[in-house]
Amino acid sequence: PRSKKTLSPTLAVGADHAGFALKEYMKEYLDQPDLEVIDLGCDSVDSCDYPEFAHAVAQAVEKGTADAGILVCGTGIGMSMAANRHKNIRAALCCDVEQAKMSRAHNDANVLCLGGRFISQERAVAIADAFLSTPFEGGRHKRRVDKI
């Protein structure tokens, strides 16, 4: 069973061509009655530029159109770099469940970045579940996040 989501009800997702297949798979997993998913592209495996989709998802979170985001490219690195250029975006590249939990609990991450060429669909689902279900701990961590 899936955990109760703490970062919903609206989630923006985006990917480039290298992350397209994983994004599409993740959309099926995220298709839940208590979660609205906004797909901001891309729409195929045709070559495209990852910053366009990173900026679209980051802007959706920044403006409050979405509560959180998930971005997928080949490595997850480019997406995280582009998304983190936005004010109040804390994009975290996570390769395992523990990183996803810690990025939420200690860093209040609001955008999850995944490397489509490096993780399986099953691992991506587990990482997303941990990211979406882990609350921010606040306290001393809030003080640190505020310094970002």
Side-chain angles (χ1 to χ4, degrees), residues 84 88-90 106-108 141-148:
N84 277 320
N88 297 319
I89 296 301
R90 291 170 305 284
H106 289 190
N107 308 116
D108 198 18
H141 303 295
K142 181 177 181 339
R143 181 181 76 242
R144 295 167 182 160
V145 169
D146 288 344
K147 290 181 177 185
I148 295 173

Side-chain angles (χ1 to χ4, degrees), residues 81-97:
M81 292 171 76
N84 277 320
R85 302 284 300 166
H86 291 259
K87 185 176 175 71
N88 297 319
I89 296 301
R90 291 170 305 284
L93 171 58
C94 297
C95 301
D96 62 41
V97 168

Side-chain angles (χ1 to χ4, degrees), residues 1-3 5 11 22-32 35 37 70 121 124-133:
R2 295 187 181 133
S3 303
K5 306 298 181 236
L11 185 67
L22 185 56
K23 176 189 65 118
E24 293 299 303
Y25 181 85
M26 295 295 294
K27 281 175 26 185
E28 289 180 33
Y29 158 74
L30 296 165
D31 185 20
Q32 301 175 40
L35 188 63
V37 176
I70 296 178
Q121 293 175 338
V125 164
I127 291 168
D129 188 51
F131 186 85
L132 295 171
S133 63

Side-chain angles (χ1 to χ4, degrees), residues 18-147:
F20 175 74
L22 185 56
K23 176 189 65 118
E24 293 299 303
Y25 181 85
M26 295 295 294
K27 281 175 26 185
E28 289 180 33
Y29 158 74
L30 296 165
D31 185 20
Q32 301 175 40
D34 63 336
L35 188 63
E36 178 187 356
V37 176
I38 304 167
D39 186 347
L40 297 175
C42 73
D43 299 320
S44 74
V45 295
D46 295 338
S47 183
C48 59
D49 298 331
Y50 66 86
E52 293 177 22
F53 307 102
H55 293 314
V57 168
Q59 287 171 350
V61 175
E62 204 172 24
K63 293 178 180 176
T65 306
D67 300 303
I70 296 178
L71 288 166
V72 189
C73 67
T75 63
I77 297 168
M79 287 293 198
S80 63
M81 292 171 76
N84 277 320
R85 302 284 300 166
H86 291 259
K87 185 176 175 71
N88 297 319
I89 296 301
R90 291 170 305 284
L93 171 58
C94 297
C95 301
D96 62 41
V97 168
E98 191 61 26
Q99 288 176 329
K101 288 179 181 178
M102 297 301 286
S103 75
R104 285 287 310 128
H106 289 190
N107 308 116
D108 198 18
N110 51 13
V111 176
L112 171 63
C113 298
L114 300 170
R117 293 181 177 144
F118 292 93
I119 59 172
S120 67
Q121 293 175 338
E122 294 76 22
R123 179 177 282 201
V125 164
I127 291 168
D129 188 51
F131 186 85
L132 295 171
S133 63
T134 302
F136 178 49
E137 290 179 5
R140 70 184 187 278
H141 303 295
K142 181 177 181 339
R143 181 181 76 242
R144 295 167 182 160
V145 169
D146 288 344
K147 290 181 177 185

